[in-house]
Structure formats: structure tokens, C-alpha cells
Amino acid sequence: MQAAKQENTTLLDVSDLKMYFPIRKGFLQNVVGHVKAVDDVNFSLCCGETLGLVGESGCGKTTVGRCLIRAYQPTGGVIQYRNESDQTVDLAQLPESILKPYRRELRMIFQDPYASLNPRMTVLDIVGEPLVVHKLARGKELEDRVAVILRKVGLRPEYMRRYPHAFSGGQRQRIGIARALALDPRVVICDEAVSALDVSVQAQILNLLLDLQAEFNLTYLFISHDLSVVEYIANRVAVMYVGKLVEIAPTTKLFSAPRHPYTEALLSAVPKPDPRLRGNRIILEGDVADPANPPSGCYFHPRCRYAKDVCKVEQPSLREIGEKHSVACHFAEELSLSGMP
Ligand code: SF4
């Protein structure tokens, strides 16, 4: 089911990705502005790694994922993808008519296992649909392939003629994972894939994702607002704030020694079992900035406790400050920030 391992090969290289949604008003629906959901985002994904993408709700994480699978046509930027034939294509610019093979190679697992499965379709129909659409199997062969995939995700093939309502939340998410894996993808975008599940079930699904990654050399973009989940599964973490990446680093480095004040605040909000550490939580003042009308300078400055005058006028760019560690803060080298103990 899977290609040979090619660690350190860059599969996806995203540069200056932009996704602006027009704001329309009036009888004629004239465009009066734009919501900059994703604004100049840069990152890469290596073969077989997991990149966590974190931030508060509405920061643009899901929009990034949807741009990668071309559910949205990006407003600008480049998504360089190394395909199975080792050729590099720009997914951001490919015309719709030739996107089909890439929709096989890049798949998405959605957040809500209740809403993302059609209640009128059996498990066989749901998991087999991508194989039918891509004309890869039908009839008995389709059933055999669906049975193999169901076993891989820990479900019994005898259940393939049941409907989603007959399954628990965790089992439904396994069906969602089976659907994503049906086409033997190379990159899987997990969009809040365990957020709707109970904690004990979350652990099972995370372990399943890790097992499948090891077996099939999958590359994950793991989108989540839950940092403890991301710490468990990701090799590197990228932090987003109002459509921009503000920090990206290997997981252990980002959690132990963050260099952006927003990352520090997010880490301080992670629940801690030790009651002596609970008092260190940083309460962010004010609301998340409006992506249709962001503040001048650093978007985080109205909420940043380290902000200085320059932060109000000059927007910091994402720059490398250490090995595989990039930060968008004027004072990244000077601030002494707290990480997770
Ligand atoms: Fe805070 Fe200034 Fe750094 Fe922005 S640039 S995160 S406002 S210190």
C-alpha cells in the first residue's frame, strides 16, 4: 500500500501562501474589503514527518489545510508539491481539470466524526466512494479493498453494511480515517481530528494515526488548538496568529523554550497536573484581532505584555533565530520566556 521511506525529502514547500475572502456589501454586492484568513504563510513538510499547526479558533489553520487540498483556490503564493513521479508541481496554480490525481495523494480527515459522515451511506459506501470516484475498484474487489482498510483502522469488516449511527464517536473517526486512507495518500491533513472525542478515545485515535504513519510512511499536517495533543504527535510545531505564522520549531524546543510571546501564552494555558504550576497562567487581554482589519505593526501588539513602540508600527517578519527555529518577533533574542516545565 505504500512507497518506500524517503525521510528528509521535502514533499510540500509552501511559500507566501495567501487566502483572502472578499467582503461584499450592498445591493450590487460590491467588494468593500477582504478577510485575510491566511497571509504570507511559509513552511515545508518533509516526507514521513508530522507538523503540528496550532493557534486559537479563527486564526486560519483550517484554511491553510483547505488550500493544500485545493478545496480553496489560494489568492496567492506557491504550494510546491513533489509528486509520486518525483516531479515538482505548484498545487496553488494547477487548473481544476488536472487536480484529480493530487486529490488522491493529499487527503483530509475532518474534525467532527458525526457531521462528516453521510448518515444515509453505509460504511462500504463511505470508505469505497473515493475508490469508485477514481475508478480504482468496484464490485467484489471494492468490498475486499474496503475490508482491508477497515482492518487497518481497527474496525471489523463485518460492519461494512452498517450506517454511521450504529458506531461510537471513536469508531466514526476510524471510518473517517479509513476514507482518507482508501486512496493510499502520501500527505494527510488532520483537521482537529481528535478534538470532538473523549480523552480516552483521543489517545486511541492518536496511537492509530502514529501506527498508520509508521506503516505507510504518511506525512501529516496536524491542525489542532490543543497543544498537549500536538506535543504528543508532532515532530515540529507551527504557531499561527491572525493568518500569519509567528513561530515554527521542533516540538521539544518550542515547548521548552518558546521565543514568541503568543506561544508562551498558549503554553501557559495548557492544563497542568501540578497545582503549584497552575498560578503561572498568562491571561491574554483583549480579543483576537480581526483579520479583516488587523492592527498596525505586529498583529499581536495590543495583547502582548512585552510590546514596545516599534511593535505598533513595524510588522516583524518570520526569521530564523536558531536551527530549524523561526520567529516573527522584534525581540525574539532578548526576551526571556517561559516554556513548559
Ligand atoms: Fe510582542 Fe512586539 Fe514581539 Fe509583537 S513584536 S510579539 S508586540 S514584543
Side-chain angles (χ1 to χ4, degrees), residues 260-262 298 300-301 304 306-308 311 316 328-331 335:
H260 194 283
Y262 180 59
C298 173
F300 189 56
H301 87 255
C304 181
Y306 308 104
K308 296 185 183 166
C311 305
C329 172
H330 295 307
F331 305 104
L335 296 174

Side-chain angles (χ1 to χ4, degrees), residues 217-287:
N217 195 26
L218 297 171
T219 302
Y220 291 145
L221 178 66
F222 195 89
I223 298 168
S224 180
H225 67 276
D226 186 337
L227 272 91
S228 26
V229 165
V230 168
E231 184 184 21
Y232 183 70
I233 199 164
N235 306 107
R236 289 187 301 138
V237 181
V239 182
M240 258 187 111
Y241 186 75
V242 194
K244 289 186 176 291
L245 283 193
V246 295
E247 183 159 14
I248 182 163
T251 306
T252 42
K253 202 182 263 186
L254 186 123
F255 276 74
S256 60
R259 305 310 296 262
H260 194 283
Y262 180 59
T263 313
E264 181 192 44
L266 287 181
L267 292 174
S268 81
V270 174
K272 300 175 182 74
D274 185 344
R276 286 166 300 178
L277 299 170
R278 284 182 202 151
N280 300 336
R281 181 166 180 181
I282 299 166
I283 307 290
L284 287 177
E285 303 289 335
D287 294 325

Side-chain angles (χ1 to χ4, degrees), residues 61-99:
K61 317 182 286 290
T62 295
T63 308
V64 170
R66 287 176 182 258
C67 287
L68 298 189
I69 60 164
R70 273 294 298 275
Y72 296 143
Q73 161 93 57
T75 311
V78 177
I79 304 172
Q80 297 268 30
Y81 172 64
R82 189 182 289 259
N83 66 18
E84 277 178 325
S85 319
D86 221 19
Q87 293 164 329
T88 303
V89 290
D90 179 7
L91 293 179
Q93 299 305 328
L94 279 190
E96 193 67 34
S97 56
I98 54 171
L99 269 174

